[in-house]
Amino acid sequence: MSDPTLPLPRALVEAAAREGRTAWLTTLPGTVARLARTWSLTVGAPFQPGGQTAWVAPVRDRAGAELVLKVVWLHPEAMHEVDGLRVWAGNGAVQVYAADESSDTNALLLEHCRPGTPLSARPEPEQDEVIAGLLRRLWVRPPAGHGFRPLQRMCDQWADEFEQRLASEPHLLDPGLAREGIALFRMLPGTAERQVLLATDAHAGNVLSAQREPWLLIDPKPYVGDPTFDALQHLLNCAERLHADPAGLTGRMADLLELDVTRLRQWLFARCVQEAPDCPALAAVAARVHIA
């Protein structure tokens, strides 16, 4: 079962200190011990350096099967992860076998990806193909009566935060570029031809090698909306190619994903503008992919 002196990953400890969640960390040993009893688990040491919002460790169930226990402090990005994984049911993403939610914590019992090498260890052209193949499978129609949030809500929230930031620090970005980009960021979700279940954080660091399938997505942040949005995080993570040839990279991913390249360029322009206050180099990318 769980050791009362529960090891804590470095990244989680540092993030908890920044976010005022150190009290939550003190509850982790008891939470892990309770889950180990409930699900009959033998718990191993957590993965290092770990994520910033979750304690994640390899476990074995009563039958000896290798699984992963993920214990997450409740925050907006963690909403509906379980629901999304259940809809996908292992089709391109890890399987979820059990879940538990309390007032401040989500816990998931997940498939263990073996060998678990991140896709980011592979050359980027290969990453393009794997990400595209997974996303095309994940883009399913959400079930009737679903509770997933609309992409519009996230984009509006990010746009509000962007405008508040620029109001206090107007020097961060060209005013004309800022107005046009953030207006497009608000507008695009409402003009999509189809609405599908999105991962929203699909990039090579969130895809692991596995045995059941060659590659599986982990850590989705599900929303419902325009599939074109889902290509953006991978594009942003391919920073060197994005800055060198944004049009070429956008065209390649549009082809692989069977998306309209003009719309993907519009989304990339808008997202680069939205990210530019924290990553000034993306303003130059935005200017290069801008479609008048």
Side-chain angles (χ1 to χ4, degrees), residues 6-14 45-51 54-58:
L6 191 74
L8 298 176
R10 297 187 302 277
L12 181 60
V13 171
E14 293 167 0
F47 297 110
Q48 293 281 4
W55 186 92
V56 186

Side-chain angles (χ1 to χ4, degrees), residues 206-240:
N206 276 350
V207 174
L208 301 181
S209 61
Q211 293 179 332
R212 183 173 60 83
E213 295 191 13
W215 300 98
L216 290 169
L217 179 82
I218 64 169
D219 295 339
K221 299 170 177 63
Y223 281 78
V224 168
D226 183 358
T228 311
F229 177 89
D230 245 358
L232 298 178
Q233 194 58 58
H234 174 65
L235 292 176
L236 293 176
N237 278 36
C238 297
E240 185 174 336

Side-chain angles (χ1 to χ4, degrees), residues 44-268:
F47 297 110
Q48 293 281 4
Q52 298 190 32
T53 61
W55 186 92
V56 186
V59 299
R60 288 183 181 271
D61 67 9
R62 182 178 292 163
E66 294 185 341
L67 303 168
V68 166
L69 177 62
K70 178 178 181 180
V71 183
V72 190
W73 76 50
L74 281 182
H75 61 285
E77 287 191 345
M79 289 179 64
H80 306 305
E81 178 179 0
V82 172
D83 303 312
L85 291 174
R86 284 175 171 158
V87 170
W88 289 314
N91 185 21
V94 292
Q95 292 180 315
V96 57
Y97 299 110
D100 179 276
E101 182 175 333
S102 65
S103 60
D104 61 355
T105 304
N106 275 351
L108 298 81
L109 190 60
L110 300 166
E111 176 179 4
H112 191 162
C113 294
R114 288 284 194 180
T117 306
L119 179 60
S120 55
R122 304 298 303 160
E124 284 191 4
E126 181 181 344
Q127 294 177 25
D128 298 343
E129 296 176 1
V130 172
I131 292 287
L134 291 175
L135 285 177
R136 289 199 309 270
R137 295 167 61 194
L138 296 171
W139 291 339
V140 297
R141 184 189 298 271
H146 71 83
F148 297 109
R149 293 166 292 179
L151 179 63
Q152 184 74 63
R153 185 180 305 174
M154 181 170 70
C155 289
D156 285 343
Q157 178 184 341
W158 288 4
D160 289 345
E161 293 169 355
F162 172 90
E163 289 170 345
Q164 291 165 11
R165 175 87 178 273
L166 266 291
S168 61
E169 301 177 80
H171 62 279
L172 291 176
L173 196 60
D174 174 79
L177 190 73
R179 282 193 302 271
E180 184 173 356
I182 212 62
L184 191 60
F185 195 70
R186 289 187 187 275
M187 180 271 290
L188 282 168
T191 61
E193 292 184 353
R194 57 183 175 137
Q195 301 284 312
V196 300
L197 187 57
L198 306 175
T200 76
D201 196 24
H203 58 81
N206 276 350
V207 174
L208 301 181
S209 61
Q211 293 179 332
R212 183 173 60 83
E213 295 191 13
W215 300 98
L216 290 169
L217 179 82
I218 64 169
D219 295 339
K221 299 170 177 63
Y223 281 78
V224 168
D226 183 358
T228 311
F229 177 89
D230 245 358
L232 298 178
Q233 194 58 58
H234 174 65
L235 292 176
L236 293 176
N237 278 36
C238 297
E240 185 174 336
R241 287 192 299 159
L242 180 65
H243 289 273
D245 184 12
L249 180 58
T250 304
R252 171 172 167 77
M253 289 307 298
D255 286 344
L256 290 171
L257 289 162
E258 300 176 359
L259 295 171
D260 179 78
V261 67
T262 299
R263 186 170 180 85
L264 182 53
R265 286 183 65 181
Q266 289 177 321
W267 263 118
L268 180 60

